[in-house]
Amino acid sequence: MNFAVLVSGQGTNLQVIINALKQRKIKARLAVVISDRKNAFALKRSQKAKIKSVFVNPEDFPDREAFDRELIRTLEREKVELIVLAGFMRVLSPLFIRKYHHKVINIHPALLPAFRGAHAIADSFHYGAKVTGVTVHFVDEKIDHGPIILQESLEIKPQDTLARLERRIHSIEHRLYPRAIDLLVRGKLRIDGRKVKIL
Ligand code: GRF
């Protein structure tokens, strides 16, 4: 199965996916990495791993749909069947989501439906939550909303600083995301409404 990873930033999740591919823990082909930011460090990681790396500049397109149509062209060219969002900071249009229904997944650094949005770790920390975690989910037309594939919780300890909590969350992400992708490519997930059954 050909898949794509969409990124905007550091790419630490992309890196663990690349490592899992090399170790044959995920048996699929990472056909293309696409970034909406030219200087995303994630692109350096994919180039180093000799994976096709594409920057699509949002400024070249009049609106969200036009940008997404360019994404679709790239994904079709590479015969991509699964799209993995890993720190991709743009909201995908309904056009895109409908085309790739149940074929787009995302990782979110909180226990959805709590703390949606782009600052989930800081939000949960400052809110004073005692428990938070990581969610891997299918992407639907609402933000941070689709059916949940995997979730793992962690306790926020009194000695946690925001930086320490971030590190703890990321280390869970780096374990959970390759596992979720492996389940998907091996056809081990069944979606029934909001519920995802692991076979
Ligand atoms: C992760 O915390 C992920 O949960 C969120 O964006 C961050 C991406 O980090 N969606 P990285 O670019 O993979 O290092």
Side-chain angles (χ1 to χ4, degrees):
M1 181 194 277
N2 281 341
F3 74 105
V5 178
L6 272 52
V7 296
S8 303
Q10 277 302 310
T12 63
N13 282 285
L14 169 66
Q15 189 65 58
V16 293
I17 293 165
I18 292 172
N19 297 349
L21 287 163
K22 280 192 188 144
Q23 294 161 9
R24 304 283 296 152
K25 287 183 183 157
I26 298 172
K27 293 192 180 66
R29 179 173 166 269
L30 178 46
V32 62
V33 171
I34 306 175
S35 173
D36 65 332
R37 294 195 190 157
K38 192 166 185 225
N39 297 321
F41 189 68
L43 280 178
K44 297 223 164 45
R45 297 179 191 269
S46 55
Q47 283 157 358
K48 189 166 177 225
K50 305 214 164 23
I51 294 157
K52 182 163 192 157
S53 308
V54 178
F55 162 56
V56 183
N57 189 351
E59 287 173 17
D60 290 344
F61 303 91
D63 55 34
R64 191 179 299 280
E65 282 207 354
F67 175 88
D68 283 3
R69 274 196 290 274
E70 176 61 23
L71 285 188
I72 292 169
R73 273 192 289 278
T74 306
L75 296 168
E76 285 185 334
R77 213 182 300 128
E78 301 300 330
K79 303 195 166 38
V80 163
E81 292 167 77
L82 165 68
I83 295 132
V84 173
L85 307 184
F88 186 63
M89 297 309 287
R90 283 176 68 85
V91 175
L92 293 163
S93 61
L95 168 105
F96 188 98
I97 299 300
R98 271 185 229 129
K99 167 144 183 90
Y100 290 107
H101 183 63
H102 287 166
K103 292 193 183 329
V104 186
I105 63 170
N106 183 44
I107 189 157
H108 183 75
L111 290 180
L112 292 176
F115 303 111
R116 290 177 173 149
H119 311 286
I121 305 178
D123 291 348
S124 53
F125 181 76
H126 295 304
Y127 194 84
K130 303 277 189 199
V131 173
T132 185
V134 172
T135 304
V136 179
H137 64 96
F138 286 102
V139 174
D140 67 9
E141 289 183 26
K142 294 185 199 156
I143 293 172
D144 297 331
H145 175 269
I148 292 169
I149 301 169
L150 294 175
Q151 258 181 337
E152 189 172 313
S153 64
L154 72 82
E155 247 179 74
I156 301 180
K157 308 238 174 79
Q159 65 269 30
D160 272 326
T161 57
L162 178 56
R164 186 167 184 268
L165 180 62
E166 279 169 350
R167 282 197 297 278
R168 294 180 64 211
I169 293 269
H170 291 316
S171 79
I172 294 178
E173 289 187 335
H174 297 163
R175 217 166 2 84
L176 234 52
Y177 220 6
R179 202 176 125 216
I181 296 166
D182 171 59
L183 288 170
L184 249 169
V185 301
R186 286 194 297 125
K188 296 285 180 195
L189 302 180
R190 288 286 173 277
I191 309 169
D192 178 12
R194 277 213 54 88
K195 304 221 174 107
V196 179
K197 190 169 170 192
I198 300 175
L199 304 176

